[in-house]
Amino acid sequence: MVIWKDALYVAGIPEKKQKRIIRAITKRRPVRDVYLVTAPSNENNCLEYMKANQILQPYYRKRDVEVYGMAGSEEAAQELTAAMLCDTYLATGEFHVVPHLEQKNSKAGDGI
């Protein structure tokens, strides 16, 4: 299942297309030129990015994929991931990105 975080980082995708892309990915339909920034599958990593169509593979049907960011190209995904790392480091002084993003999402979900 795809879990979209409230404080979603987006780069290189127009606002008009964002909701349509999110719906398509949630319904596991293929999309063009979209990359997702997700929580890492390996605990030694900070974040991962992948083509959105990769979650159509059988491996991901049995796993939850937490999406923290969405980008319109691989270069935009790299820059977005770097920006997320920098934001986390500036806020916490560490590179524990997922706990920082979870805290940020809990605040976004509370309407703060």
Side-chain angles (χ1 to χ4, degrees):
M1 178 163 80
V2 180
I3 302 168
W4 297 94
K5 298 302 181 173
D6 291 332
L8 186 69
Y9 285 75
V10 180
I13 298 175
E15 270 189 62
K16 290 182 177 182
K17 292 185 177 183
Q18 290 175 15
K19 287 185 180 182
R20 185 173 43 143
I21 290 170
I22 289 171
R23 271 194 309 271
I25 292 171
T26 302
K27 292 180 180 181
R28 300 212 182 262
R29 294 184 180 149
V31 292
R32 295 184 72 198
D33 302 325
V34 176
Y35 287 78
L36 303 177
V37 179
T38 65
S41 58
N42 178 349
E43 63 186 41
N44 293 325
N45 295 340
C46 294
L47 291 171
E48 293 179 354
Y49 71 89
M50 64 176 148
K51 284 188 173 186
N53 291 338
Q54 187 174 336
I55 65 169
L56 300 174
Q57 299 298 318
Y59 173 84
Y60 291 100
R61 288 190 186 132
K62 300 174 185 173
R63 290 173 174 70
D64 290 340
V65 179
E66 297 177 341
V67 180
Y68 293 98
M70 184 170 59
S73 68
E74 185 172 7
E75 183 179 332
Q78 291 171 352
E79 292 173 3
L80 185 63
T81 304
M84 293 166 77
L85 287 167
C86 288
D87 288 349
T88 300
Y89 187 77
L90 290 173
T92 65
E94 298 179 339
F95 287 108
H96 299 294
V97 181
V98 173
H100 173 70
L101 293 175
E102 285 297 328
Q103 180 182 13
K104 192 172 182 179
N105 278 297
S106 68
K107 289 180 182 177
D110 291 341
I112 295 175

mmCIF file of all heavy atoms in Angstrom, residues 41-81:
data_model
loop_
_atom_site.group_PDB
_atom_site.id
_atom_site.type_symbol
_atom_site.label_atom_id
_atom_site.label_comp_id
_atom_site.label_asym_id
_atom_site.label_seq_id
_atom_site.Cartn_x
_atom_site.Cartn_y
_atom_site.Cartn_z
ATOM 1 N N SER A 41 14.410 1.139 2.504
ATOM 2 C CA SER A 41 14.159 -0.262 2.835
ATOM 3 C C SER A 41 15.314 -0.820 3.669
ATOM 4 O O SER A 41 15.158 -1.804 4.370
ATOM 5 C CB SER A 41 13.979 -1.087 1.557
ATOM 6 O OG SER A 41 15.117 -0.966 0.739
ATOM 7 N N ASN A 42 16.465 -0.154 3.622
ATOM 8 C CA ASN A 42 17.638 -0.541 4.392
ATOM 9 C C ASN A 42 17.840 0.501 5.492
ATOM 10 O O ASN A 42 17.952 1.688 5.211
ATOM 11 C CB ASN A 42 18.858 -0.603 3.470
ATOM 12 C CG ASN A 42 20.130 -0.953 4.174
ATOM 13 O OD1 ASN A 42 20.214 -0.966 5.398
ATOM 14 N ND2 ASN A 42 21.156 -1.238 3.392
ATOM 15 N N GLU A 43 17.907 0.069 6.721
ATOM 16 C CA GLU A 43 17.995 1.022 7.839
ATOM 17 C C GLU A 43 19.284 1.845 7.838
ATOM 18 O O GLU A 43 19.379 2.846 8.539
ATOM 19 C CB GLU A 43 17.844 0.301 9.165
ATOM 20 C CG GLU A 43 18.941 -0.704 9.447
ATOM 21 C CD GLU A 43 18.685 -1.514 10.701
ATOM 22 O OE1 GLU A 43 17.544 -1.913 10.932
ATOM 23 O OE2 GLU A 43 19.662 -1.740 11.435
ATOM 24 N N ASN A 44 20.276 1.460 7.050
ATOM 25 C CA ASN A 44 21.525 2.228 6.985
ATOM 26 C C ASN A 44 21.422 3.413 6.034
ATOM 27 O O ASN A 44 22.322 4.245 6.007
ATOM 28 C CB ASN A 44 22.677 1.322 6.546
ATOM 29 C CG ASN A 44 22.995 0.276 7.590
ATOM 30 O OD1 ASN A 44 22.893 0.529 8.785
ATOM 31 N ND2 ASN A 44 23.358 -0.915 7.150
ATOM 32 N N ASN A 45 20.367 3.493 5.245
ATOM 33 C CA ASN A 45 20.183 4.596 4.305
ATOM 34 C C ASN A 45 19.346 5.695 4.940
ATOM 35 O O ASN A 45 18.602 5.452 5.889
ATOM 36 C CB ASN A 45 19.495 4.106 3.032
ATOM 37 C CG ASN A 45 20.346 3.130 2.256
ATOM 38 O OD1 ASN A 45 21.554 3.064 2.428
ATOM 39 N ND2 ASN A 45 19.710 2.356 1.403
ATOM 40 N N CYS A 46 19.453 6.906 4.390
ATOM 41 C CA CYS A 46 18.635 8.023 4.871
ATOM 42 C C CYS A 46 17.289 8.035 4.161
ATOM 43 O O CYS A 46 16.242 8.075 4.796
ATOM 44 C CB CYS A 46 19.356 9.342 4.625
ATOM 45 S SG CYS A 46 20.855 9.543 5.585
ATOM 46 N N LEU A 47 17.306 8.053 2.844
ATOM 47 C CA LEU A 47 16.113 8.060 2.002
ATOM 48 C C LEU A 47 16.423 7.282 0.732
ATOM 49 O O LEU A 47 17.584 6.999 0.429
ATOM 50 C CB LEU A 47 15.724 9.491 1.607
ATOM 51 C CG LEU A 47 15.195 10.406 2.693
ATOM 52 C CD1 LEU A 47 15.088 11.829 2.151
ATOM 53 C CD2 LEU A 47 13.846 9.942 3.181
ATOM 54 N N GLU A 48 15.387 6.973 -0.019
ATOM 55 C CA GLU A 48 15.557 6.347 -1.330
ATOM 56 C C GLU A 48 14.648 7.061 -2.318
ATOM 57 O O GLU A 48 13.613 7.588 -1.933
ATOM 58 C CB GLU A 48 15.154 4.870 -1.288
ATOM 59 C CG GLU A 48 16.058 4.019 -0.444
ATOM 60 C CD GLU A 48 15.620 2.559 -0.399
ATOM 61 O OE1 GLU A 48 14.546 2.225 -0.935
ATOM 62 O OE2 GLU A 48 16.359 1.770 0.188
ATOM 63 N N TYR A 49 15.053 7.071 -3.576
ATOM 64 C CA TYR A 49 14.139 7.528 -4.614
ATOM 65 C C TYR A 49 14.087 6.467 -5.689
ATOM 66 O O TYR A 49 15.034 5.717 -5.905
ATOM 67 C CB TYR A 49 14.528 8.909 -5.168
ATOM 68 C CG TYR A 49 15.759 8.935 -6.024
ATOM 69 C CD1 TYR A 49 15.676 8.718 -7.392
ATOM 70 C CD2 TYR A 49 17.003 9.199 -5.478
ATOM 71 C CE1 TYR A 49 16.802 8.754 -8.193
ATOM 72 C CE2 TYR A 49 18.137 9.244 -6.252
ATOM 73 C CZ TYR A 49 18.027 9.017 -7.612
ATOM 74 O OH TYR A 49 19.146 9.042 -8.398
ATOM 75 N N MET A 50 12.920 6.358 -6.322
ATOM 76 C CA MET A 50 12.714 5.341 -7.351
ATOM 77 C C MET A 50 11.664 5.830 -8.335
ATOM 78 O O MET A 50 10.897 6.746 -8.025
ATOM 79 C CB MET A 50 12.257 4.038 -6.722
ATOM 80 C CG MET A 50 10.908 4.121 -6.039
ATOM 81 S SD MET A 50 10.421 2.525 -5.431
ATOM 82 C CE MET A 50 9.493 2.983 -3.986
ATOM 83 N N LYS A 51 11.638 5.220 -9.514
ATOM 84 C CA LYS A 51 10.583 5.526 -10.463
ATOM 85 C C LYS A 51 9.262 5.075 -9.864
ATOM 86 O O LYS A 51 9.174 4.028 -9.238
ATOM 87 C CB LYS A 51 10.814 4.798 -11.785
ATOM 88 C CG LYS A 51 11.885 5.399 -12.628
ATOM 89 C CD LYS A 51 11.907 4.754 -13.987
ATOM 90 C CE LYS A 51 12.871 5.492 -14.873
ATOM 91 N NZ LYS A 51 12.822 5.001 -16.254
ATOM 92 N N ALA A 52 8.232 5.864 -10.055
ATOM 93 C CA ALA A 52 6.922 5.546 -9.477
ATOM 94 C C ALA A 52 6.394 4.210 -9.992
ATOM 95 O O ALA A 52 5.737 3.469 -9.264
ATOM 96 C CB ALA A 52 5.932 6.657 -9.783
ATOM 97 N N ASN A 53 6.691 3.865 -11.217
ATOM 98 C CA ASN A 53 6.186 2.610 -11.785
ATOM 99 C C ASN A 53 6.823 1.377 -11.157
ATOM 100 O O ASN A 53 6.328 0.272 -11.331
ATOM 101 C CB ASN A 53 6.383 2.596 -13.296
ATOM 102 C CG ASN A 53 5.478 3.602 -13.981
ATOM 103 O OD1 ASN A 53 4.459 4.000 -13.430
ATOM 104 N ND2 ASN A 53 5.853 4.026 -15.161
ATOM 105 N N GLN A 54 7.885 1.565 -10.417
ATOM 106 C CA GLN A 54 8.525 0.434 -9.743
ATOM 107 C C GLN A 54 7.582 -0.179 -8.701
ATOM 108 O O GLN A 54 7.641 -1.377 -8.455
ATOM 109 C CB GLN A 54 9.821 0.889 -9.080
ATOM 110 C CG GLN A 54 10.642 -0.228 -8.497
ATOM 111 C CD GLN A 54 11.978 0.263 -7.998
ATOM 112 O OE1 GLN A 54 12.490 1.286 -8.445
ATOM 113 N NE2 GLN A 54 12.562 -0.462 -7.068
ATOM 114 N N ILE A 55 6.705 0.615 -8.115
ATOM 115 C CA ILE A 55 5.799 0.057 -7.110
ATOM 116 C C ILE A 55 4.712 -0.812 -7.723
ATOM 117 O O ILE A 55 3.922 -1.419 -7.003
ATOM 118 C CB ILE A 55 5.179 1.145 -6.205
ATOM 119 C CG1 ILE A 55 4.287 2.067 -6.996
ATOM 120 C CG2 ILE A 55 6.231 1.893 -5.443
ATOM 121 C CD1 ILE A 55 3.448 2.971 -6.128
ATOM 122 N N LEU A 56 4.660 -0.907 -9.031
ATOM 123 C CA LEU A 56 3.727 -1.818 -9.696
ATOM 124 C C LEU A 56 4.215 -3.263 -9.628
ATOM 125 O O LEU A 56 3.442 -4.188 -9.877
ATOM 126 C CB LEU A 56 3.529 -1.418 -11.158
ATOM 127 C CG LEU A 56 2.968 -0.018 -11.405
ATOM 128 C CD1 LEU A 56 2.964 0.285 -12.892
ATOM 129 C CD2 LEU A 56 1.596 0.120 -10.818
ATOM 130 N N GLN A 57 5.477 -3.442 -9.278
ATOM 131 C CA GLN A 57 6.053 -4.779 -9.209
ATOM 132 C C GLN A 57 5.451 -5.573 -8.049
ATOM 133 O O GLN A 57 5.064 -4.992 -7.030
ATOM 134 C CB GLN A 57 7.573 -4.694 -9.040
ATOM 135 C CG GLN A 57 8.281 -3.998 -10.172
ATOM 136 C CD GLN A 57 8.083 -4.730 -11.491
ATOM 137 O OE1 GLN A 57 8.147 -5.951 -11.550
ATOM 138 N NE2 GLN A 57 7.824 -3.969 -12.541
ATOM 139 N N PRO A 58 5.369 -6.898 -8.181
ATOM 140 C CA PRO A 58 4.773 -7.733 -7.126
ATOM 141 C C PRO A 58 5.414 -7.563 -5.752
ATOM 142 O O PRO A 58 4.734 -7.674 -4.733
ATOM 143 C CB PRO A 58 4.979 -9.157 -7.644
ATOM 144 C CG PRO A 58 5.094 -9.016 -9.112
ATOM 145 C CD PRO A 58 5.732 -7.667 -9.352
ATOM 146 N N TYR A 59 6.705 -7.279 -5.703
ATOM 147 C CA TYR A 59 7.408 -7.095 -4.432
ATOM 148 C C TYR A 59 6.725 -6.035 -3.573
ATOM 149 O O TYR A 59 6.612 -6.170 -2.367
ATOM 150 C CB TYR A 59 8.861 -6.702 -4.708
ATOM 151 C CG TYR A 59 9.651 -6.317 -3.483
ATOM 152 C CD1 TYR A 59 10.252 -7.292 -2.695
ATOM 153 C CD2 TYR A 59 9.812 -4.982 -3.113
ATOM 154 C CE1 TYR A 59 10.983 -6.944 -1.573
ATOM 155 C CE2 TYR A 59 10.539 -4.631 -1.997
ATOM 156 C CZ TYR A 59 11.128 -5.611 -1.227
ATOM 157 O OH TYR A 59 11.842 -5.271 -0.113
ATOM 158 N N TYR A 60 6.268 -4.958 -4.182
ATOM 159 C CA TYR A 60 5.698 -3.830 -3.447
ATOM 160 C C TYR A 60 4.224 -4.015 -3.112
ATOM 161 O O TYR A 60 3.663 -3.236 -2.350
ATOM 162 C CB TYR A 60 5.901 -2.525 -4.225
ATOM 163 C CG TYR A 60 7.356 -2.136 -4.271
ATOM 164 C CD1 TYR A 60 8.128 -2.387 -5.395
ATOM 165 C CD2 TYR A 60 7.965 -1.550 -3.175
ATOM 166 C CE1 TYR A 60 9.471 -2.046 -5.421
ATOM 167 C CE2 TYR A 60 9.303 -1.194 -3.198
ATOM 168 C CZ TYR A 60 10.049 -1.457 -4.322
ATOM 169 O OH TYR A 60 11.370 -1.122 -4.343
ATOM 170 N N ARG A 61 3.569 -5.005 -3.663
ATOM 171 C CA ARG A 61 2.157 -5.250 -3.328
ATOM 172 C C ARG A 61 1.997 -5.701 -1.887
ATOM 173 O O ARG A 61 0.960 -5.490 -1.278
ATOM 174 C CB ARG A 61 1.572 -6.299 -4.263
ATOM 175 C CG ARG A 61 1.366 -5.778 -5.648
ATOM 176 C CD ARG A 61 0.561 -6.731 -6.493
ATOM 177 N NE ARG A 61 0.540 -6.226 -7.854
ATOM 178 C CZ ARG A 61 0.799 -6.953 -8.917
ATOM 179 N NH1 ARG A 61 1.056 -8.230 -8.792
ATOM 180 N NH2 ARG A 61 0.774 -6.411 -10.105
ATOM 181 N N LYS A 62 3.025 -6.335 -1.344
ATOM 182 C CA LYS A 62 2.966 -6.878 0.009
ATOM 183 C C LYS A 62 3.574 -5.942 1.049
ATOM 184 O O LYS A 62 3.607 -6.264 2.220
ATOM 185 C CB LYS A 62 3.701 -8.217 0.055
ATOM 186 C CG LYS A 62 3.109 -9.255 -0.866
ATOM 187 C CD LYS A 62 3.933 -10.506 -0.894
ATOM 188 C CE LYS A 62 3.381 -11.496 -1.911
ATOM 189 N NZ LYS A 62 4.240 -12.645 -2.070
ATOM 190 N N ARG A 63 4.075 -4.797 0.622
ATOM 191 C CA ARG A 63 4.765 -3.888 1.530
ATOM 192 C C ARG A 63 4.160 -2.495 1.475
ATOM 193 O O ARG A 63 3.672 -2.060 0.450
ATOM 194 C CB ARG A 63 6.238 -3.812 1.141
ATOM 195 C CG ARG A 63 6.942 -5.110 1.456
ATOM 196 C CD ARG A 63 8.354 -5.126 0.930
ATOM 197 N NE ARG A 63 9.065 -6.312 1.341
ATOM 198 C CZ ARG A 63 8.821 -7.531 0.904
ATOM 199 N NH1 ARG A 63 7.854 -7.751 0.050
ATOM 200 N NH2 ARG A 63 9.538 -8.567 1.316
ATOM 201 N N ASP A 64 4.241 -1.823 2.608
ATOM 202 C CA ASP A 64 3.831 -0.421 2.651
ATOM 203 C C ASP A 64 4.977 0.444 2.146
ATOM 204 O O ASP A 64 6.131 0.235 2.513
ATOM 205 C CB ASP A 64 3.483 -0.005 4.078
ATOM 206 C CG ASP A 64 2.202 -0.641 4.572
ATOM 207 O OD1 ASP A 64 1.395 -1.085 3.722
ATOM 208 O OD2 ASP A 64 2.000 -0.699 5.789
ATOM 209 N N VAL A 65 4.654 1.399 1.306
ATOM 210 C CA VAL A 65 5.638 2.347 0.794
ATOM 211 C C VAL A 65 5.242 3.726 1.299
ATOM 212 O O VAL A 65 4.189 4.250 0.941
ATOM 213 C CB VAL A 65 5.673 2.334 -0.753
ATOM 214 C CG1 VAL A 65 6.676 3.352 -1.269
ATOM 215 C CG2 VAL A 65 5.981 0.953 -1.280
ATOM 216 N N GLU A 66 6.081 4.302 2.172
ATOM 217 C CA GLU A 66 5.829 5.631 2.716
ATOM 218 C C GLU A 66 6.472 6.669 1.809
ATOM 219 O O GLU A 66 7.696 6.690 1.655
ATOM 220 C CB GLU A 66 6.392 5.731 4.130
ATOM 221 C CG GLU A 66 5.733 4.783 5.096
ATOM 222 C CD GLU A 66 6.343 4.844 6.480
ATOM 223 O OE1 GLU A 66 7.485 5.339 6.622
ATOM 224 O OE2 GLU A 66 5.686 4.397 7.416
ATOM 225 N N VAL A 67 5.663 7.518 1.213
ATOM 226 C CA VAL A 67 6.150 8.503 0.243
ATOM 227 C C VAL A 67 6.254 9.866 0.916
ATOM 228 O O VAL A 67 5.268 10.406 1.408
ATOM 229 C CB VAL A 67 5.223 8.570 -0.985
ATOM 230 C CG1 VAL A 67 5.738 9.597 -1.974
ATOM 231 C CG2 VAL A 67 5.109 7.201 -1.640
ATOM 232 N N TYR A 68 7.468 10.414 0.914
ATOM 233 C CA TYR A 68 7.732 11.724 1.501
ATOM 234 C C TYR A 68 7.929 12.801 0.444
ATOM 235 O O TYR A 68 7.898 13.977 0.752
ATOM 236 C CB TYR A 68 8.982 11.668 2.384
ATOM 237 C CG TYR A 68 8.793 10.813 3.603
ATOM 238 C CD1 TYR A 68 9.243 9.501 3.633
ATOM 239 C CD2 TYR A 68 8.158 11.313 4.726
ATOM 240 C CE1 TYR A 68 9.069 8.716 4.752
ATOM 241 C CE2 TYR A 68 7.978 10.538 5.850
ATOM 242 C CZ TYR A 68 8.436 9.234 5.857
ATOM 243 O OH TYR A 68 8.242 8.459 6.969
ATOM 244 N N GLY A 69 8.163 12.391 -0.807
ATOM 245 C CA GLY A 69 8.397 13.364 -1.859
ATOM 246 C C GLY A 69 8.065 12.802 -3.224
ATOM 247 O O GLY A 69 8.023 11.591 -3.422
ATOM 248 N N MET A 70 7.862 13.707 -4.175
ATOM 249 C CA MET A 70 7.504 13.329 -5.536
ATOM 250 C C MET A 70 8.186 14.315 -6.478
ATOM 251 O O MET A 70 8.151 15.525 -6.236
ATOM 252 C CB MET A 70 5.977 13.389 -5.668
ATOM 253 C CG MET A 70 5.426 12.942 -6.967
ATOM 254 S SD MET A 70 3.614 12.782 -6.936
ATOM 255 C CE MET A 70 3.072 14.432 -6.512
ATOM 256 N N ALA A 71 8.797 13.793 -7.551
ATOM 257 C CA ALA A 71 9.533 14.659 -8.473
ATOM 258 C C ALA A 71 9.219 14.284 -9.917
ATOM 259 O O ALA A 71 8.849 13.144 -10.204
ATOM 260 C CB ALA A 71 11.032 14.544 -8.220
ATOM 261 N N GLY A 72 9.414 15.245 -10.812
ATOM 262 C CA GLY A 72 9.093 15.057 -12.218
ATOM 263 C C GLY A 72 10.231 14.538 -13.064
ATOM 264 O O GLY A 72 10.041 14.287 -14.256
ATOM 265 N N SER A 73 11.407 14.351 -12.489
ATOM 266 C CA SER A 73 12.543 13.784 -13.225
ATOM 267 C C SER A 73 13.532 13.207 -12.221
ATOM 268 O O SER A 73 13.433 13.476 -11.020
ATOM 269 C CB SER A 73 13.234 14.864 -14.063
ATOM 270 O OG SER A 73 13.875 15.804 -13.229
ATOM 271 N N GLU A 74 14.478 12.434 -12.731
ATOM 272 C CA GLU A 74 15.467 11.854 -11.826
ATOM 273 C C GLU A 74 16.334 12.946 -11.203
ATOM 274 O O GLU A 74 16.650 12.894 -10.015
ATOM 275 C CB GLU A 74 16.342 10.838 -12.558
ATOM 276 C CG GLU A 74 17.295 10.117 -11.639
ATOM 277 C CD GLU A 74 18.045 8.984 -12.300
ATOM 278 O OE1 GLU A 74 17.940 8.817 -13.524
ATOM 279 O OE2 GLU A 74 18.756 8.268 -11.573
ATOM 280 N N GLU A 75 16.691 13.932 -11.992
ATOM 281 C CA GLU A 75 17.498 15.035 -11.465
ATOM 282 C C GLU A 75 16.744 15.797 -10.381
ATOM 283 O O GLU A 75 17.297 16.135 -9.332
ATOM 284 C CB GLU A 75 17.879 15.992 -12.597
ATOM 285 C CG GLU A 75 18.772 17.129 -12.158
ATOM 286 C CD GLU A 75 19.157 18.040 -13.309
ATOM 287 O OE1 GLU A 75 19.204 17.573 -14.459
ATOM 288 O OE2 GLU A 75 19.418 19.213 -13.033
ATOM 289 N N ALA A 76 15.457 16.040 -10.617
ATOM 290 C CA ALA A 76 14.640 16.727 -9.606
ATOM 291 C C ALA A 76 14.523 15.876 -8.344
ATOM 292 O O ALA A 76 14.527 16.407 -7.232
ATOM 293 C CB ALA A 76 13.261 17.041 -10.173
ATOM 294 N N ALA A 77 14.452 14.551 -8.501
ATOM 295 C CA ALA A 77 14.379 13.659 -7.340
ATOM 296 C C ALA A 77 15.667 13.713 -6.531
ATOM 297 O O ALA A 77 15.635 13.719 -5.300
ATOM 298 C CB ALA A 77 14.097 12.222 -7.791
ATOM 299 N N GLN A 78 16.808 13.771 -7.218
ATOM 300 C CA GLN A 78 18.091 13.881 -6.528
ATOM 301 C C GLN A 78 18.171 15.195 -5.759
ATOM 302 O O GLN A 78 18.596 15.227 -4.599
ATOM 303 C CB GLN A 78 19.239 13.780 -7.528
ATOM 304 C CG GLN A 78 19.376 12.406 -8.131
ATOM 305 C CD GLN A 78 20.367 12.373 -9.286
ATOM 306 O OE1 GLN A 78 20.848 13.418 -9.746
ATOM 307 N NE2 GLN A 78 20.680 11.177 -9.764
ATOM 308 N N GLU A 79 17.772 16.281 -6.397
ATOM 309 C CA GLU A 79 17.808 17.590 -5.747
ATOM 310 C C GLU A 79 16.821 17.658 -4.579
ATOM 311 O O GLU A 79 17.136 18.228 -3.533
ATOM 312 C CB GLU A 79 17.506 18.693 -6.762
ATOM 313 C CG GLU A 79 18.605 18.864 -7.790
ATOM 314 C CD GLU A 79 18.248 19.844 -8.898
ATOM 315 O OE1 GLU A 79 17.147 20.452 -8.842
ATOM 316 O OE2 GLU A 79 19.064 20.002 -9.815
ATOM 317 N N LEU A 80 15.654 17.053 -4.755
ATOM 318 C CA LEU A 80 14.655 17.036 -3.695
ATOM 319 C C LEU A 80 15.148 16.244 -2.494
ATOM 320 O O LEU A 80 15.011 16.679 -1.351
ATOM 321 C CB LEU A 80 13.348 16.444 -4.226
ATOM 322 C CG LEU A 80 12.151 16.451 -3.287
ATOM 323 C CD1 LEU A 80 11.759 17.887 -2.939
ATOM 324 C CD2 LEU A 80 10.987 15.727 -3.926
ATOM 325 N N THR A 81 15.764 15.110 -2.753
ATOM 326 C CA THR A 81 16.312 14.292 -1.674
ATOM 327 C C THR A 81 17.408 15.051 -0.931
ATOM 328 O O THR A 81 17.448 15.041 0.302
ATOM 329 C CB THR A 81 16.852 12.957 -2.224
ATOM 330 O OG1 THR A 81 15.803 12.290 -2.938
ATOM 331 C CG2 THR A 81 17.363 12.055 -1.129
#
